[in-house]
Amino acid sequence: MTEEIKTALQFLSQPEKKEFFPRFFKSGPGEYAEGDEFIGVTVPDQRKIAKAYFQKISLKELSVLLSSKIHEHRHCALLMLVSKYEKSKSEEEKQEIVDFYLQYLEYINNWDLVDNSCYKILGRHSFEHDDDSILRNLSDSENLWQKRMAIVATLWHVKKGSFQLTQDLALKNLNHTHDLMHKANGWLLREMGNKNEEILLSFLNKHYREMPRTTLRYAIEKLDEALRQDYLKGRI
């Protein structure tokens, strides 16, 4: 099964199938794992492969794709894993998938891999079980991507109107040295504001002066222009 999927990926990577996606190219330190290879398979095509194979492929076979050095193999594996989680009919199956995901964290190491899978698996799982210990542990990690996983997974909590963990994680990593974390924090706060602007404004009034510029710009992106200018001028 894994060989069939690799064959499908190779077919889709032929020149006539390629499209230019800036995210397939390294644009800054830390954005991709060292040694990543890219074969040019577009995300829509990966979704087609995932939809066709996710019910047939086992976790053991997925582990082969997920430990590949080829970015599209890992991304496709995570798309299938998300589908497996969403279609699971028992808590035992879901727990097995969460455990598998956590076992292979070392291979989930760029933003394209992190965002969709941790949001839909870890974020949903922690919210449904009212247990945020996994996300808190990830946020305490020294690994940039695991910290970012915690932030992005918390967006599931924002979607459901729960903000306390959101604020805790944003504060914990507010002064992280990497710009990718600033973006994730800002994105998280912006989504919180989309759900409840008053809670965001209360948070900003307390903490906006200590925010990196990138975090602030993302956080206030959807506010009224007058409010945006007030916060921006306050940082100058």
Side-chain angles (χ1 to χ4, degrees):
M1 185 62 65
T2 307
E3 288 304 315
E4 285 186 44
I5 293 168
K6 285 184 178 178
T7 300
L9 285 162
Q10 287 163 3
F11 168 74
L12 290 168
S13 70
Q14 295 305 306
E16 65 272 16
K17 288 280 185 181
K18 284 188 180 180
E19 294 179 24
F20 177 76
F21 279 89
R23 66 173 169 271
F24 282 178
F25 299 90
K26 190 166 181 175
S27 56
E31 294 216 15
Y32 291 113
E34 290 300 320
D36 258 9
E37 299 173 43
F38 298 88
I39 57 177
V41 181
T42 66
V43 172
D45 282 338
Q46 289 177 59
R47 292 189 187 281
K48 290 177 187 176
I49 296 169
K51 186 177 180 180
Y53 286 104
F54 83 88
Q55 290 178 315
K56 306 170 189 176
I57 195 166
S58 68
L59 292 181
K60 184 177 180 180
E61 289 167 326
L62 275 181
S63 71
V64 177
L65 282 176
L66 196 50
S67 57
S68 168
K69 287 189 175 182
I70 295 176
H71 169 84
E72 289 91 337
H73 288 175
R74 304 202 310 279
H75 190 234
C76 198
L78 288 173
L79 288 173
M80 287 188 272
L81 197 63
V82 168
S83 295
K84 277 183 172 293
Y85 186 87
E86 291 177 333
K87 298 297 182 181
S88 292
K89 296 180 180 178
S90 71
E91 285 302 319
E92 289 76 15
E93 286 179 289
K94 288 184 177 181
Q95 187 63 55
E96 185 181 12
I97 290 168
V98 169
D99 292 342
F100 176 86
Y101 190 93
L102 294 173
Q103 182 183 351
Y104 284 88
L105 284 180
E106 65 183 289
Y107 300 107
I108 307 169
N109 50 13
N110 67 54
W111 64 263
D112 202 25
L113 297 178
V114 164
D115 291 353
N116 180 60
S117 59
C118 67
Y119 167 69
K120 291 186 175 177
I121 295 177
L122 297 185
R124 179 184 292 173
H125 181 80
S126 67
F127 183 84
E128 289 176 352
H129 291 82
D130 194 24
D131 179 4
D132 58 22
S133 59
I134 291 174
L135 302 189
R136 290 189 183 278
N137 288 338
L138 288 174
S139 73
D140 288 333
S141 168
E142 294 301 314
N143 183 289
L144 167 69
W145 295 109
Q146 292 178 23
K147 282 181 177 294
R148 200 167 185 277
M149 277 182 192
I151 296 289
V152 176
T154 309
L155 285 167
W156 188 272
H157 297 239
V158 175
K159 179 180 178 182
K160 301 297 183 180
S162 176
F163 304 119
Q164 187 53 50
L165 180 62
T166 304
Q167 296 179 38
D168 289 350
L169 295 188
L171 280 172
K172 182 179 287 187
N173 293 299
L174 200 58
N175 294 310
H176 194 278
T177 56
H178 204 291
D179 193 52
L180 279 176
M181 190 62 73
H182 302 167
K183 291 178 182 178
N185 274 323
W187 184 24
L188 186 66
L189 294 171
R190 181 190 67 199
E191 293 303 313
M192 185 172 76
N194 288 344
K195 281 287 184 180
N196 191 317
E197 189 173 281
E198 290 304 313
I199 290 180
L200 174 62
L201 291 177
S202 175
F203 184 90
L204 286 172
N205 286 337
K206 292 179 183 175
H207 304 292
Y208 82 95
R209 291 182 184 279
E210 64 198 83
M211 287 185 184
R213 191 82 173 179
T214 305
T215 301
L216 181 62
R217 285 190 176 279
Y218 274 83
I220 66 178
E221 191 174 53
K222 298 292 182 71
L223 296 181
D224 292 337
E225 186 60 25
L227 268 175
R228 290 184 70 255
Q229 290 305 319
D230 282 347
Y231 284 115
L232 288 173
K233 288 174 183 175
R235 285 299 308 273
I236 296 173

